Amino acid sequence: MKFLEMEANSIYHNAVLLKESVEGLAIKPEGTYVDVTFGAGGHARAILNMLNENGRLFAFDQDEESLQNTIKDNRFTLINANFKYMKNHLNANGIRQVDGILADLGVSSHQFDAQHRGFSIRFDCSLDMRMDTRKHLTAKDILNTYSETELRRIFYDYGEIHNANKLSALIVAERKQQPFDMSVDFQKRIASCIPTKREFKYLAQVYQALRIEVNDELKALEMLLLQSRIMIRQGGRLVVISYHSLEDRLTKFFIRSGNFEDKIEKDIYGNNLSPFVAINRKTIVPAQEELDKNNRSRSAKLRIAERSAYE
């Protein structure tokens, strides 16, 4: 396959599970595909490299900074929007169905490394965490305005933090003395909640919870998956790379049952009526070689599904 010849190119350095995910799309050279998380364009370039002159690739990214990575190719269209609006934008471009959709969820390497964005616990910066900087809600807004009950919900549900009650109460007490703004100050002020020898993991969970709330990530994923059953034609592929259990669980349930409660419906013959059939029963994870080159791929899980004949 042509794209494998380009793996060494620096463009692909942070494209997680590149070979496995693009192969999972089972690309037809003349097909129409969607990369809903364009980022640096690694997956998109690999897809384009497998299309002929009649193929089309649409890409989405809500981060305006990703526009600088756009690809000059008349087969390619980059849309600066959240992928939860995928169907509307594709329809506006005259596309009613596609042959495959790829989603590489979570935060890009660029976003983690951009100090001013506030995604990483490594930098002392304003607690922002917006993927789309045109939006208004930031992480510091959440910390300074959400009720203790609301804070408890996001830390428990989105960060799976066991002492969410204690953390939420401390944040409410601390902000009465001084509003939260900078990341290092925030980390110091919640230090009494952080378990010894688990500092990095705990803070990563806190930041994950805030980031998910700021960007409404799980709702956006649900909307994408629901639209995929409409937009992917029979025999087409859905490929999803997730980085934490909340994303992976939603994807797994949807592929298996067609809903997010995992309620499996069957026809009179006992056949599963899910709109998708899982291609890989077990999640695909990065090989050791990839882990050695890109430590950020360590939590990646890949699921591949094919649009079934049902509906």
Side-chain angles (χ1 to χ4, degrees):
M1 295 183 182
K2 291 182 179 179
F3 81 92
L4 296 180
E5 299 170 6
M6 301 176 66
E7 248 181 338
N9 192 306
S10 61
I11 288 172
Y12 293 90
H13 181 68
N14 292 312
V16 174
L17 289 164
L18 176 67
K19 174 179 179 290
E20 296 87 346
S21 60
V22 176
E23 284 185 347
L25 285 171
I27 291 175
K28 301 174 183 177
E30 73 288 354
T32 299
Y33 294 88
V34 187
D35 175 359
V36 298
T37 47
F38 177 68
H43 290 101
R45 287 179 171 84
I47 294 168
L48 276 172
N49 204 41
M50 300 181 72
L51 298 177
N52 63 24
E53 64 277 8
N54 297 315
R56 296 287 304 280
L57 174 63
F58 291 85
F60 287 78
D61 205 303
Q62 61 185 320
D63 189 343
E64 287 186 311
E65 292 183 5
S66 71
L67 299 180
Q68 64 188 347
N69 302 317
T70 193
I71 302 167
K72 295 181 180 179
D73 190 310
N74 58 15
R75 301 169 300 167
F76 177 74
T77 302
L78 177 57
I79 299 167
N80 182 206
N82 191 307
F83 58 59
K84 66 183 179 182
Y85 303 119
M86 176 187 68
K87 179 176 177 290
N88 289 343
H89 283 284
L90 290 178
N91 287 173
N93 279 274
I95 304 299
R96 294 291 178 261
Q97 285 196 307
V98 300
D99 296 288
I101 295 172
L102 183 148
D104 181 12
L105 304 173
V107 184
S108 70
S109 292
H110 169 73
Q111 289 168 330
F112 268 127
D113 291 337
Q115 180 172 338
H116 66 286
R117 303 295 294 272
F119 289 107
S120 174
I121 66 175
R122 295 176 295 145
F123 305 120
D124 187 19
C125 54
S126 182
L127 291 157
D128 192 315
M129 302 192 195
R130 291 173 296 168
M131 292 181 177
D132 184 346
T133 55
R134 295 167 295 186
K135 303 297 183 183
H136 298 294
L137 182 68
T138 66
K140 67 179 178 181
D141 292 332
I142 291 170
L143 293 170
N144 290 320
T145 65
Y146 273 34
S147 70
E148 185 175 333
T149 299
E150 290 174 315
L151 289 170
R152 186 186 310 118
R153 171 186 62 81
I154 68 168
F155 289 131
Y156 187 80
D157 290 350
Y158 299 159
E160 300 178 293
I161 295 170
H162 295 302
N163 66 350
N165 288 344
K166 180 181 178 182
L167 176 62
S168 303
L170 177 60
I171 288 171
V172 170
E174 283 288 329
R175 75 189 187 195
K176 291 178 181 177
Q177 306 302 315
Q178 181 179 341
F180 292 100
D181 183 12
M182 304 298 285
S183 57
V184 170
D185 176 63
F186 169 64
Q187 293 171 28
K188 289 179 179 178
R189 290 164 71 183
I190 65 168
S192 62
C193 288
I194 303 176
T196 304
K197 297 182 179 180
R198 291 187 61 250
E199 291 86 354
F200 179 84
K201 183 174 182 180
Y202 186 88
L203 287 171
Q205 290 173 293
V206 171
Y207 274 50
Q208 173 182 294
L210 291 169
R211 192 198 78 221
I212 289 173
E213 179 70 10
V214 167
N215 299 288
D216 199 17
E217 293 177 36
L218 297 184
K219 182 62 177 178
L221 176 57
E222 288 182 358
M223 292 175 68
L224 171 68
L225 293 172
L226 289 171
Q227 290 172 58
S228 71
R229 71 191 298 171
I230 301 169
M231 295 303 301
I232 299 177
R233 61 174 52 94
Q234 183 180 339
R237 293 288 183 89
L238 172 66
V239 174
V240 180
I241 304 171
S242 60
Y243 294 86
H244 56 75
S245 60
L246 303 176
E247 296 170 336
D248 185 56
R249 189 180 303 122
L250 284 175
T251 305
K252 177 176 67 175
F253 285 178
F254 184 77
I255 290 172
R256 186 162 61 192
S257 62
N259 57 67
F260 305 114
E261 297 76 36
D262 203 25
K263 296 179 180 178
I264 296 176
E265 297 182 14
K266 297 185 178 182
D267 63 19
I268 59 174
Y269 303 105
N271 298 310
N272 189 341
L273 292 175
S274 172
F276 287 95
V277 176
I279 297 299
N280 57 313
R281 299 297 176 180
K282 294 180 65 176
T283 54
I284 298 169
V285 297
Q288 188 59 50
E289 182 180 0
E290 179 168 3
L291 292 172
D292 292 341
K293 293 179 180 178
N294 181 11
N295 186 50
R296 287 176 177 168
S297 69
R298 66 190 182 279
S299 58
K301 293 182 178 180
L302 170 64
R303 292 187 184 274
I304 304 167
E306 185 170 292
R307 186 67 169 86
S308 71
Y310 292 109
E311 299 183 350

